[in-house]
Amino acid sequence: MHQSVLITGASSGIGEACAVHLAHKGFRVYAAARRLEKLKDLEGLAGGRITPIALDITAPDTIEAAMKKIADDGVTLFGLVNNAGVSVMGPIEKTPIDEWRRQYETNVFGIVRMVQAALPQMREAGRGRIVNIGSVAGRIAAPFQGAYASSKHAVEGLTDSLRRETAPFGVKVSLVRPGFINTPFGEQEQDQLQKYVDEGGAYADAVRKFKHWHAKGHPTAPGPIVVAEAVHAALTDEHPHSRYTAPISNVGSLVMRNLLPSAVTDRVMARVFGLDAAGKTHKQNP
Ligand SMILES: NC(=O)c1ccc[n+]([C@@H]2O[C@H](COP(=O)([O-])OP(=O)(O)OC[C@H]3O[C@@H](n4cnc5c(N)ncnc54)[C@H](OP(=O)(O)O)[C@@H]3O)[C@@H](O)[C@H]2O)c1
């Protein structure tokens, strides 16, 4: 009997890699996203163990329908991988409140909705795993990433509370923190940053410099399989870690973030992103 896992955001990038990897490892996978047509490509892979399922984590009726379909299949979920996410980029002062809402509706409240839908059956079964996909940005908040980084900081806290609440019921919870990963995620972040360059104003020069640094991140990064392997470990380790970082090379910056005073990290970031120069330029040419 294969253990069943539901993965959100499986139509692209990390979620798609998780679906294929976990199915190859023997899981029965419910691969969920809004774009059902993209999910259809996964059908038939890995011995037919992937079932596409239409689901929008911001729309409760679609979550209910997905859970009903899984129950109708006679399946009790062993795992839930909360991977679906979006990124809203730009200066905090300029980012419209509706964009902030979109960020939190997906990255934070979406996870809460999915947990509320899937946890009861795991709790009743006395076993289960929940894996939330956070980000290195959930600990290290770069400028012009305020909405995204703060949503992933929320995922860190949410995951810690959840892990402590569900442990007595045999449901284990882990956070997987990717660093830069080569997926389509970065392209839409670049587009959003460009908008703030184009509109000019006080932040335009600094955003342009940050965008230039950010542009190199995703294309040169490892592929999503490194995250899929960490998710597999979180689902199968006898004693899963509270946190997995993928790729492992990001652990160094997370440790430094904990050790260094903020004043030092601020100066390092300003230097790396070229923002010390951006500030001076702006003061000279207001
Ligand atoms: N790539 C990176 O460098 C990186 C780094 C750190 C963390 N992460 C995190 O990893 C996760 C996956 O990112 P990725 O790089 O794989 O991005 P991606 O390629 O853009 O994929 C995002 C996925 O989320 C789904 N999604 C978005 N909104 C949704 C909604 N309302 N309901 C259901 N599905 C939704 C999309 O599917 P549909 O549009 O079909 O619904 C898509 O499958 C995110 O949580 C992201 O924050 C990524």
Side-chain angles (χ1 to χ4, degrees):
M1 177 80 172
H2 298 292
Q3 283 175 329
S4 296
V5 59
L6 169 61
I7 305 171
T8 65
S11 62
S12 173
I14 292 170
E16 183 180 334
C18 286
V20 174
H21 186 64
L22 294 176
H24 277 297
K25 291 283 184 185
F27 280 91
R28 174 170 185 186
V29 173
Y30 286 95
R34 292 167 301 183
R35 289 171 295 170
L36 197 56
E37 72 286 358
K38 287 215 73 195
L39 294 170
K40 294 279 182 201
D41 296 344
L42 301 177
E43 251 177 344
L45 296 180
R49 281 196 293 277
I50 303 178
T51 306
I53 195 160
L55 189 154
D56 178 344
I57 62 168
T58 69
D61 54 328
T62 71
I63 298 174
E64 206 177 307
M67 299 314 290
K68 182 174 182 318
K69 184 196 166 4
I70 293 168
D72 288 349
D73 286 352
V75 164
T76 300
L77 285 174
F78 171 76
L80 167 67
V81 180
N82 283 310
N83 162 76
V86 293
S87 174
V88 170
M89 303 277 272
I92 291 171
E93 185 186 330
K94 299 284 178 189
T95 304
I97 203 74
D98 282 349
E99 283 292 277
W100 281 87
R101 286 207 179 90
R102 182 170 73 86
Q103 182 69 89
Y104 276 74
E105 278 297 337
T106 308
N107 290 18
V108 185
F109 306 144
I111 292 183
V112 176
R113 286 186 197 96
M114 292 307 301
V115 166
Q116 290 180 346
L119 181 55
Q121 59 185 281
M122 296 180 183
R123 202 170 30 71
E124 276 157 33
R127 63 198 262 282
R129 300 276 171 113
I130 297 175
V131 183
N132 292 336
I133 305 297
S135 171
V136 167
R139 294 291 291 161
I140 303 174
F144 312 126
Q145 241 191 358
Y148 179 70
S150 63
S151 77
K152 291 295 188 181
H153 275 66
V155 174
E156 293 260 343
L158 169 60
T159 307
D160 278 340
S161 291
L162 186 64
R163 188 181 64 255
R164 291 162 184 155
E165 288 175 19
T166 62
F169 300 105
V171 179
K172 298 177 178 177
V173 179
S174 297
L175 180 76
V176 171
R177 296 196 281 212
F180 272 126
I181 301 293
N182 193 355
T183 72
F185 207 65
E187 286 162 33
Q188 54 99 16
E189 291 183 321
Q190 283 280 308
D191 292 346
Q192 291 182 50
L193 291 168
Q194 186 60 43
K195 220 172 46 192
Y196 294 101
V197 176
D198 293 343
E199 79 178 34
Y203 294 100
D205 192 35
V207 174
R208 183 180 55 73
K209 288 179 169 151
F210 176 75
K211 178 175 177 279
H212 178 72
W213 171 85
H214 175 274
K216 293 176 277 201
H218 292 275
T220 59
I225 184 66
V226 295
V227 185
E229 284 165 351
V231 169
H232 180 254
L235 288 169
T236 57
D237 284 351
E238 191 183 346
H239 301 291
H241 301 300
S242 57
R243 288 173 169 75
Y244 296 78
T245 302
I248 200 78
S249 54
N250 282 279
V251 168
S253 23
L254 290 167
V255 170
M256 292 306 279
R257 180 256 183 236
N258 288 341
L259 294 179
L260 292 176
S262 299
V264 176
T265 330
D266 289 352
R267 281 201 295 278
V268 171
M269 280 206 199
R271 180 71 51 85
V272 169
F273 303 142
L275 302 189
D276 43 356
K280 279 181 204 133
T281 310
H282 179 64
K283 270 183 214 142
Q284 282 158 12
N285 305 301

XYZ file of all heavy atoms in Angstrom, residues 37-130:
714
model
N -4.327 22.064 -16.761
C -3.752 21.628 -18.045
C -2.252 21.339 -17.896
O -1.728 20.426 -18.536
C -4.042 22.642 -19.168
C -3.284 23.973 -19.143
C -3.755 24.981 -18.085
O -4.714 24.694 -17.342
O -3.148 26.068 -17.990
N -1.562 22.077 -17.039
C -0.124 21.822 -16.816
C 0.086 20.542 -16.013
O 1.049 19.802 -16.212
C 0.521 23.009 -16.085
C 0.689 24.229 -16.953
C 1.953 24.977 -16.621
C 3.186 24.225 -17.119
N 4.425 24.715 -16.542
N -0.841 20.292 -15.096
C -0.727 19.092 -14.251
C -0.930 17.815 -15.065
O -0.413 16.758 -14.715
C -1.752 19.139 -13.119
C -1.545 20.244 -12.083
C -2.753 20.349 -11.169
C -0.284 19.983 -11.266
N -1.700 17.935 -16.156
C -2.000 16.752 -16.983
C -0.708 16.125 -17.519
O -0.653 14.932 -17.770
C -2.917 17.130 -18.166
C -4.306 17.564 -17.741
C -5.204 16.368 -17.449
C -6.603 16.835 -17.069
N -7.356 15.830 -16.328
N 0.343 16.963 -17.690
C 1.633 16.446 -18.190
C 2.241 15.416 -17.222
O 3.092 14.628 -17.615
C 2.648 17.594 -18.361
C 2.208 18.602 -19.405
O 1.299 18.266 -20.194
O 2.753 19.732 -19.418
N 1.825 15.491 -15.954
C 2.419 14.595 -14.944
C 1.734 13.230 -14.909
O 2.300 12.264 -14.394
C 2.320 15.230 -13.546
C 2.999 16.585 -13.359
C 2.758 17.124 -11.956
C 4.496 16.455 -13.605
N 0.502 13.202 -15.458
C -0.244 11.939 -15.457
C 0.523 10.892 -16.257
O 1.072 11.184 -17.316
C -1.627 12.145 -16.104
C -2.749 12.090 -15.119
C -4.090 12.370 -15.779
O -4.107 12.893 -16.909
O -5.115 12.066 -15.141
N 0.587 9.680 -15.767
C 1.274 8.639 -16.528
C 2.740 8.504 -16.159
O 3.366 7.485 -16.444
N 3.323 9.561 -15.520
C 4.718 9.441 -15.070
C 4.765 8.549 -13.818
O 3.759 8.386 -13.128
C 5.295 10.813 -14.703
C 5.420 11.857 -15.815
C 6.006 13.154 -15.249
C 6.311 11.333 -16.937
N 5.926 7.999 -13.540
C 6.167 7.246 -12.299
C 5.088 6.198 -12.031
O 4.491 6.154 -10.952
C 6.281 8.219 -11.121
N 4.840 5.379 -13.055
C 3.898 4.260 -12.876
C 2.473 4.712 -12.630
O 1.688 3.987 -12.010
N 2.131 5.932 -13.110
C 0.750 6.411 -12.967
C 0.393 6.749 -11.521
O -0.792 6.810 -11.178
N 1.399 7.005 -10.693
C 1.093 7.274 -9.280
C 0.809 8.751 -9.004
O 0.702 9.153 -7.853
C 2.251 6.781 -8.385
C 2.221 5.277 -8.152
C 3.110 4.893 -6.976
N 4.498 5.120 -7.278
C 5.281 4.266 -7.946
N 4.783 3.118 -8.381
N 6.533 4.557 -8.177
N 0.707 9.576 -10.076
C 0.402 11.001 -9.862
C -1.018 11.297 -10.341
O -1.352 11.024 -11.494
C 1.403 11.910 -10.608
C 2.839 11.600 -10.179
C 1.070 13.377 -10.367
C 3.907 12.410 -10.893
N -1.829 11.853 -9.445
C -3.200 12.250 -9.808
C -3.289 13.774 -9.776
O -3.120 14.378 -8.709
C -4.213 11.671 -8.792
O -4.021 10.270 -8.698
C -5.639 11.979 -9.201
N -3.536 14.415 -10.944
C -3.705 15.871 -10.957
C -5.008 16.262 -10.251
O -6.007 15.542 -10.350
C -3.803 16.218 -12.447
C -3.326 15.011 -13.170
C -3.617 13.846 -12.306
N -4.975 17.385 -9.596
C -6.186 17.819 -8.884
C -6.245 19.357 -8.916
O -5.260 20.021 -8.596
C -6.177 17.216 -7.459
C -7.518 17.291 -6.786
C -5.135 17.792 -6.577
C -7.640 16.284 -5.629
N -7.398 19.900 -9.347
C -7.544 21.353 -9.447
C -7.759 21.930 -8.055
O -8.637 21.474 -7.321
C -8.735 21.694 -10.337
N -6.957 22.917 -7.712
C -7.062 23.474 -6.354
C -6.435 24.864 -6.319
O -5.317 25.052 -6.799
C -6.327 22.534 -5.378
C -6.476 22.784 -3.877
C -6.251 21.472 -3.130
C -5.495 23.809 -3.358
N -7.198 25.811 -5.785
C -6.671 27.154 -5.550
C -6.642 27.339 -4.037
O -7.708 27.322 -3.394
C -7.600 28.184 -6.229
C -7.156 29.616 -6.000
O -6.331 29.864 -5.087
O -7.640 30.503 -6.724
N -5.464 27.523 -3.459
C -5.380 27.553 -1.992
C -5.987 28.820 -1.389
O -6.068 28.943 -0.173
C -3.933 27.333 -1.480
C -2.993 28.444 -1.962
C -3.417 25.958 -1.873
C -1.644 28.434 -1.246
N -6.428 29.754 -2.256
C -7.140 30.929 -1.742
C -8.656 30.759 -1.856
O -9.396 31.655 -1.459
C -6.712 32.223 -2.481
O -7.197 32.165 -3.827
C -5.204 32.402 -2.491
N -9.107 29.635 -2.428
C -10.550 29.434 -2.692
C -11.057 28.202 -1.932
O -10.845 27.063 -2.361
C -10.779 29.273 -4.198
N -11.748 28.426 -0.790
C -12.177 27.315 0.059
C -13.005 26.258 -0.672
O -12.884 25.072 -0.375
C -13.017 27.997 1.143
C -12.492 29.397 1.206
C -12.056 29.741 -0.181
N -13.853 26.668 -1.657
C -14.690 25.659 -2.334
C -13.830 24.663 -3.117
O -14.142 23.465 -3.177
C -15.733 26.332 -3.255
C -15.105 27.300 -4.240
O -14.069 27.927 -3.903
O -15.616 27.424 -5.371
N -12.723 25.136 -3.691
C -11.855 24.213 -4.451
C -11.088 23.285 -3.500
O -10.814 22.135 -3.834
C -10.852 24.966 -5.362
O -9.852 25.612 -4.550
C -11.534 26.000 -6.245
N -10.776 23.777 -2.324
C -10.088 22.934 -1.328
C -11.044 21.830 -0.871
O -10.679 20.647 -0.813
C -9.600 23.770 -0.118
C -8.574 24.818 -0.582
C -9.003 22.871 0.963
C -8.121 25.787 0.487
N -12.291 22.238 -0.611
C -13.312 21.260 -0.184
C -13.511 20.187 -1.251
O -13.547 18.990 -0.950
C -14.619 22.023 0.056
C -15.547 21.360 1.035
C -16.792 22.219 1.259
O -16.638 23.415 1.582
O -17.890 21.685 1.062
N -13.597 20.628 -2.515
C -13.807 19.663 -3.615
C -12.614 18.711 -3.738
O -12.786 17.501 -3.965
C -14.028 20.416 -4.932
N -11.404 19.238 -3.562
C -10.204 18.387 -3.664
C -10.186 17.360 -2.535
O -9.904 16.172 -2.760
C -8.943 19.258 -3.606
N -10.523 17.786 -1.322
C -10.512 16.859 -0.186
C -11.595 15.797 -0.366
O -11.408 14.637 0.008
C -10.724 17.615 1.145
C -9.666 18.659 1.472
S -7.941 18.160 1.258
C -7.747 17.013 2.571
N -12.716 16.193 -0.973
C -13.789 15.218 -1.213
C -13.334 14.175 -2.216
O -13.575 12.973 -2.052
C -15.050 15.943 -1.712
C -16.219 14.998 -1.947
C -17.497 15.727 -2.286
C -18.686 14.783 -2.477
N -18.431 13.560 -3.212
N -12.655 14.634 -3.265
C -12.174 13.684 -4.279
C -11.210 12.664 -3.648
O -11.284 11.463 -3.917
C -11.470 14.440 -5.424
C -11.049 13.478 -6.525
C -10.043 14.019 -7.479
C -9.374 12.972 -8.354
N -9.792 11.591 -8.281
N -10.320 13.169 -2.787
C -9.349 12.266 -2.138
C -10.086 11.270 -1.238
O -9.803 10.065 -1.251
C -8.303 13.103 -1.356
C -7.444 13.909 -2.350
C -7.425 12.203 -0.485
C -6.569 14.976 -1.719
N -11.062 11.769 -0.491
C -11.840 10.873 0.390
C -12.621 9.851 -0.438
O -12.705 8.672 -0.076
C -12.781 11.702 1.258
N -13.192 10.306 -1.575
C -13.957 9.392 -2.447
C -13.058 8.283 -3.006
O -13.539 7.195 -3.338
C -14.608 10.156 -3.616
C -15.781 11.010 -3.132
O -16.204 10.835 -1.967
O -16.257 11.873 -3.914
N -11.758 8.576 -3.144
C -10.808 7.542 -3.597
C -10.499 6.542 -2.477
O -9.709 5.615 -2.664
C -9.470 8.195 -4.039
C -9.599 8.907 -5.378
O -10.642 8.768 -6.031
O -8.631 9.607 -5.758
N -11.062 6.787 -1.296
C -10.809 5.905 -0.152
C -9.442 6.125 0.471
O -8.913 5.247 1.153
N -8.884 7.337 0.251
C -7.511 7.617 0.695
C -7.509 8.457 1.975
O -8.259 9.427 2.088
C -6.743 8.368 -0.427
C -5.480 9.024 0.107
C -6.422 7.428 -1.573
N -6.670 8.076 2.923
C -6.339 8.942 4.063
C -4.954 9.499 3.792
O -4.001 8.736 3.588
C -6.316 8.138 5.388
O -7.602 7.566 5.580
C -5.967 9.025 6.571
N -4.850 10.820 3.792
C -3.550 11.428 3.476
C -2.530 11.129 4.569
O -2.828 11.286 5.758
C -3.693 12.943 3.326
C -4.351 13.454 2.047
C -4.535 14.975 2.134
C -3.539 13.083 0.803
N -1.335 10.729 4.147
C -0.205 10.619 5.090
C 0.543 11.951 5.131
O 1.012 12.378 6.179
C 0.752 9.508 4.638
C 2.038 9.489 5.423
C 2.078 8.976 6.713
C 3.212 10.013 4.882
C 3.263 8.977 7.453
C 4.398 10.014 5.615
C 4.422 9.497 6.903
N 0.660 12.604 3.955
C 1.474 13.819 3.893
C 0.769 14.979 3.209
O -0.063 14.782 2.318
N 1.107 16.187 3.643
C 0.671 17.410 2.981
C 1.916 18.272 2.782
O 2.633 18.554 3.754
C -0.342 18.168 3.858
C -0.657 19.610 3.438
C -1.393 19.643 2.090
C -1.498 20.315 4.519
N 2.183 18.645 1.530
C 3.321 19.524 1.247
C 2.762 20.876 0.808
O 2.196 21.004 -0.281
C 4.252 18.935 0.157
C 5.429 19.874 -0.108
C 4.751 17.549 0.559
N 2.886 21.864 1.684
C 2.398 23.215 1.382
C 3.487 23.974 0.643
O 4.328 24.647 1.259
C 2.034 23.926 2.688
C 0.722 23.448 3.246
O -0.285 23.400 2.535
N 0.709 23.070 4.515
N 3.439 23.854 -0.676
C 4.501 24.434 -1.508
C 4.033 25.669 -2.282
O 4.838 26.563 -2.532
C 4.993 23.361 -2.489
C 5.756 23.956 -3.643
O 6.909 24.362 -3.503
N 5.112 24.053 -4.800
N 2.735 25.736 -2.665
C 2.256 26.827 -3.531
C 2.641 28.172 -2.931
O 2.472 28.395 -1.735
C 0.745 26.740 -3.691
N 3.166 29.050 -3.764
C 3.540 30.360 -3.261
C 3.704 31.355 -4.386
O 3.908 30.982 -5.548
N 3.579 32.630 -4.022
C 3.833 33.714 -4.972
C 4.780 34.703 -4.295
O 4.977 34.655 -3.077
C 2.530 34.437 -5.404
C 1.634 33.519 -6.213
C 1.784 35.004 -4.198
N 5.354 35.580 -5.098
C 6.262 36.572 -4.544
C 5.875 37.961 -5.014
O 5.758 38.203 -6.214
C 7.699 36.259 -4.980
O 8.564 37.291 -4.562
N 5.665 38.837 -4.055
C 5.388 40.246 -4.356
C 6.648 41.028 -4.001
O 7.120 40.982 -2.867
C 4.174 40.743 -3.529
C 4.026 42.251 -3.635
C 2.897 40.030 -3.981
N 7.192 41.720 -4.975
C 8.457 42.439 -4.764
C 8.244 43.941 -4.950
O 7.414 44.346 -5.776
C 9.501 41.983 -5.787
C 9.776 40.502 -5.790
S 10.940 40.017 -4.533
C 12.464 40.242 -5.404
N 9.044 44.725 -4.283
C 8.991 46.175 -4.472
C 9.187 46.898 -3.157
O 9.129 46.277 -2.085
N 9.408 48.219 -3.206
C 9.567 48.992 -1.971
C 8.284 48.943 -1.138
O 7.194 49.077 -1.686
C 9.814 50.427 -2.475
C 10.146 50.310 -3.916
C 9.531 49.051 -4.421
N 8.441 48.775 0.160
C 7.270 48.678 1.049
C 6.380 49.913 0.907
O 5.151 49.811 0.846
C 7.746 48.485 2.510
C 8.369 47.082 2.650
C 6.609 48.692 3.506
C 9.082 46.818 3.951
N 7.011 51.066 0.808
C 6.247 52.318 0.708
C 5.356 52.352 -0.532
O 4.306 53.000 -0.540
C 7.247 53.495 0.670
C 6.609 54.850 0.692
C 7.632 55.972 0.496
O 8.811 55.829 0.888
O 7.240 57.014 -0.077
N 5.785 51.667 -1.579
C 5.089 51.780 -2.863
C 4.183 50.579 -3.182
O 3.403 50.636 -4.137
C 6.119 51.882 -4.001
C 7.031 53.075 -3.907
C 6.286 54.313 -4.341
C 7.138 55.545 -4.212
N 6.377 56.775 -4.433
N 4.313 49.489 -2.429
C 3.573 48.265 -2.791
C 2.107 48.397 -2.380
O 1.806 48.579 -1.188
C 4.208 47.037 -2.089
O 5.584 46.981 -2.457
C 3.515 45.747 -2.496
N 1.171 48.325 -3.351
C -0.251 48.507 -3.025
C -0.744 47.465 -2.017
O -0.298 46.319 -2.044
C -0.959 48.316 -4.377
C 0.101 48.496 -5.409
C 1.391 48.073 -4.779
N -1.663 47.872 -1.178
C -2.149 46.998 -0.107
C -2.806 45.728 -0.676
O -2.725 44.653 -0.063
C -3.080 47.776 0.861
C -3.127 47.105 2.239
C -4.442 47.989 0.295
C -1.887 47.301 3.069
N -3.405 45.833 -1.855
C -3.992 44.623 -2.464
C -2.918 43.592 -2.814
O -3.171 42.393 -2.777
C -4.788 44.977 -3.732
C -6.140 45.565 -3.379
O -6.522 45.484 -2.186
O -6.803 46.118 -4.280
N -1.736 44.077 -3.162
C -0.619 43.162 -3.448
C -0.152 42.471 -2.160
O 0.200 41.309 -2.142
C 0.541 43.929 -4.096
C 0.314 44.239 -5.562
C 0.328 42.948 -6.376
O 1.404 42.458 -6.728
O -0.768 42.411 -6.629
N -0.142 43.248 -1.064
C 0.181 42.645 0.246
C -0.841 41.558 0.577
O -0.496 40.489 1.064
C 0.154 43.715 1.349
C 1.392 44.552 1.396
C 1.626 45.693 0.679
C 2.563 44.314 2.177
N 2.883 46.178 0.979
C 3.468 45.360 1.909
C 2.927 43.336 3.102
C 4.726 45.452 2.512
C 4.176 43.421 3.709
C 5.055 44.466 3.411
N -2.122 41.867 0.288
C -3.174 40.879 0.588
C -2.963 39.618 -0.250
O -3.082 38.500 0.247
C -4.561 41.462 0.292
C -4.998 42.468 1.301
C -6.518 42.563 1.426
N -6.839 43.549 2.457
C -7.021 44.841 2.219
N -6.953 45.316 0.991
N -7.275 45.664 3.211
N -2.635 39.804 -1.542
C -2.417 38.650 -2.433
C -1.268 37.791 -1.885
O -1.340 36.561 -1.879
C -2.080 39.156 -3.852
C -1.883 38.068 -4.881
C -1.811 38.661 -6.285
N -0.566 39.361 -6.568
C 0.551 38.785 -7.008
N 0.566 37.483 -7.246
N 1.636 39.496 -7.252
N -0.225 38.479 -1.398
C 0.926 37.760 -0.853
C 0.533 36.889 0.338
O 0.850 35.713 0.402
C 1.982 38.801 -0.419
C 3.250 38.228 0.131
C 4.081 37.530 -0.932
O 4.893 38.129 -1.568
N 3.858 36.245 -1.108
N -0.185 37.516 1.268
C -0.535 36.784 2.503
C -1.652 35.768 2.265
O -1.662 34.702 2.897
C -0.901 37.779 3.617
C 0.343 38.272 4.322
C 1.202 39.185 3.711
C 0.705 37.790 5.571
C 2.369 39.610 4.324
C 1.871 38.217 6.194
C 2.691 39.123 5.573
O 3.858 39.534 6.184
N -2.600 36.074 1.363
C -3.683 35.119 1.066
C -3.102 33.797 0.590
O -3.599 32.728 0.924
C -4.634 35.679 -0.005
C -5.683 36.638 0.498
C -6.668 36.010 1.476
O -6.846 34.785 1.461
O -7.247 36.763 2.278
N -2.038 33.870 -0.216
C -1.453 32.647 -0.764
C -0.441 32.047 0.205
O -0.601 30.907 0.661
C -0.761 32.946 -2.119
O -1.682 33.623 -2.970
C -0.306 31.657 -2.786
N 0.596 32.798 0.549
C 1.743 32.203 1.271
C 1.447 31.870 2.724
O 2.087 30.976 3.281
C 2.950 33.150 1.224
C 3.548 33.247 -0.168
O 2.912 32.901 -1.144
N 4.775 33.717 -0.255
N 0.506 32.588 3.334
C 0.243 32.357 4.767
C -1.144 31.737 4.970
O -1.265 30.603 5.434
C 0.381 33.667 5.580
C 0.215 33.380 7.075
C 1.738 34.321 5.314
N -2.199 32.469 4.561
C -3.550 31.949 4.819
C -3.819 30.684 3.992
O -4.597 29.819 4.398
C -4.615 33.022 4.538
C -4.374 34.313 5.281
C -4.672 35.542 4.712
C -3.827 34.302 6.561
C -4.435 36.728 5.396
C -3.578 35.480 7.258
C -3.883 36.697 6.671
N -3.157 30.585 2.835
C -3.298 29.367 2.010
C -2.828 28.139 2.774
O -3.467 27.080 2.736
N -1.705 28.289 3.479
C -1.201 27.157 4.284
C -2.191 26.839 5.408
O -2.510 25.674 5.663
C 0.201 27.485 4.866
C 1.236 27.558 3.735
C 0.601 26.446 5.921
C 2.672 27.796 4.203
N -2.696 27.888 6.048
C -3.642 27.660 7.164
C -4.877 26.911 6.645
O -5.326 25.932 7.258
C -4.047 29.002 7.813
C -5.101 28.770 8.899
C -2.827 29.703 8.411
N -5.396 27.353 5.486
C -6.583 26.672 4.924
C -6.294 25.194 4.658
O -7.106 24.327 4.967
C -7.005 27.332 3.599
C -7.680 28.658 3.763
C -8.207 29.169 2.418
N -8.481 30.584 2.516
C -7.638 31.544 2.136
N -6.483 31.228 1.582
N -7.955 32.805 2.285
N -5.130 24.925 4.059
C -4.787 23.537 3.717
C -4.605 22.687 4.980
O -5.035 21.531 5.031
C -3.513 23.489 2.853
C -3.667 24.071 1.462
S -5.049 23.381 0.531
C -4.621 21.651 0.491
N -3.977 23.273 5.992
C -3.777 22.536 7.254
C -5.146 22.224 7.875
O -5.406 21.096 8.323
C -2.881 23.351 8.224
C -2.942 22.772 9.630
C -1.444 23.380 7.712
N -6.032 23.223 7.883
C -7.341 22.994 8.501
C -8.131 21.919 7.756
O -8.916 21.186 8.365
C -8.133 24.317 8.560
C -7.507 25.285 9.578
C -8.219 26.621 9.693
O -9.043 26.971 8.836
N -7.888 27.382 10.725
N -7.885 21.808 6.447
C -8.614 20.797 5.655
C -8.019 19.400 5.823
O -8.760 18.408 5.849
C -8.598 21.198 4.174
N -6.695 19.293 5.934
C -6.054 17.971 5.888
C -5.705 17.402 7.263
O -5.608 16.178 7.415
C -4.770 18.058 5.046
N -5.520 18.281 8.244
C -5.034 17.792 9.547
C -6.014 16.846 10.263
O -5.570 15.853 10.853
C -4.656 18.994 10.434
C -4.104 18.697 11.827
C -2.898 17.761 11.779
C -3.714 20.003 12.531
N -7.341 17.113 10.228
C -8.241 16.238 11.006
C -8.060 14.757 10.684
O -8.014 13.923 11.588
C -9.640 16.737 10.615
C -9.433 18.162 10.240
C -8.078 18.232 9.600
N -7.925 14.407 9.389
C -7.802 12.982 9.052
C -6.461 12.415 9.551
O -6.400 11.257 9.955
C -7.963 12.750 7.549
C -6.981 13.470 6.683
C -7.270 13.302 5.195
O -6.954 12.280 4.625
N -7.897 14.306 4.596
N -5.405 13.237 9.550
C -4.104 12.765 10.055
C -4.175 12.567 11.571
O -3.679 11.584 12.113
C -3.005 13.787 9.733
C -2.750 13.984 8.253
S -1.426 15.209 8.043
C -1.380 15.321 6.271
N -4.784 13.531 12.231
C -4.905 13.465 13.699
C -5.685 12.217 14.105
O -5.289 11.480 15.007
C -5.604 14.743 14.179
C -5.345 15.083 15.606
C -5.832 16.468 15.990
N -6.981 16.990 15.280
C -8.232 16.561 15.416
N -8.511 15.572 16.225
N -9.209 17.118 14.711
N -6.789 11.976 13.380
C -7.603 10.795 13.706
C -6.845 9.501 13.432
O -6.992 8.519 14.161
C -8.919 10.825 12.923
C -9.968 11.675 13.633
C -11.042 12.206 12.705
O -11.377 11.505 11.724
O -11.530 13.330 12.953
N -6.008 9.515 12.383
C -5.213 8.315 12.059
C -4.040 8.142 13.034
O -3.433 7.076 13.098
C -4.688 8.404 10.626
N -3.718 9.230 13.778
C -2.605 9.159 14.733
C -1.245 9.165 14.052
O -0.231 8.822 14.660
N -1.222 9.599 12.781
C 0.056 9.679 12.072
C -0.081 10.638 10.888
O -1.189 10.822 10.361
C 0.488 8.304 11.554
C -0.462 7.730 10.531
C -0.261 6.252 10.363
N 0.576 5.932 9.221
C 0.185 5.940 7.962
N -1.046 6.297 7.632
N 1.008 5.606 6.996
N 1.028 11.205 10.479
C 1.001 12.090 9.309
C 2.185 13.031 9.334
O 2.884 13.144 10.338
N 2.420 13.645 8.187
C 3.527 14.607 8.053
C 3.024 15.851 7.309
O 2.329 15.720 6.281
C 4.684 14.002 7.246
C 5.293 12.725 7.850
C 6.334 13.036 8.904
N 6.729 11.825 9.608
C 7.937 11.255 9.540
N 8.867 11.769 8.761
N 8.204 10.180 10.251
N 3.397 16.992 7.793
C 3.116 18.243 7.075
C 4.458 18.924 6.814
O 5.273 19.078 7.733
C 2.184 19.163 7.888
C 0.820 18.472 8.084
C 2.008 20.514 7.188
C -0.146 19.227 8.981
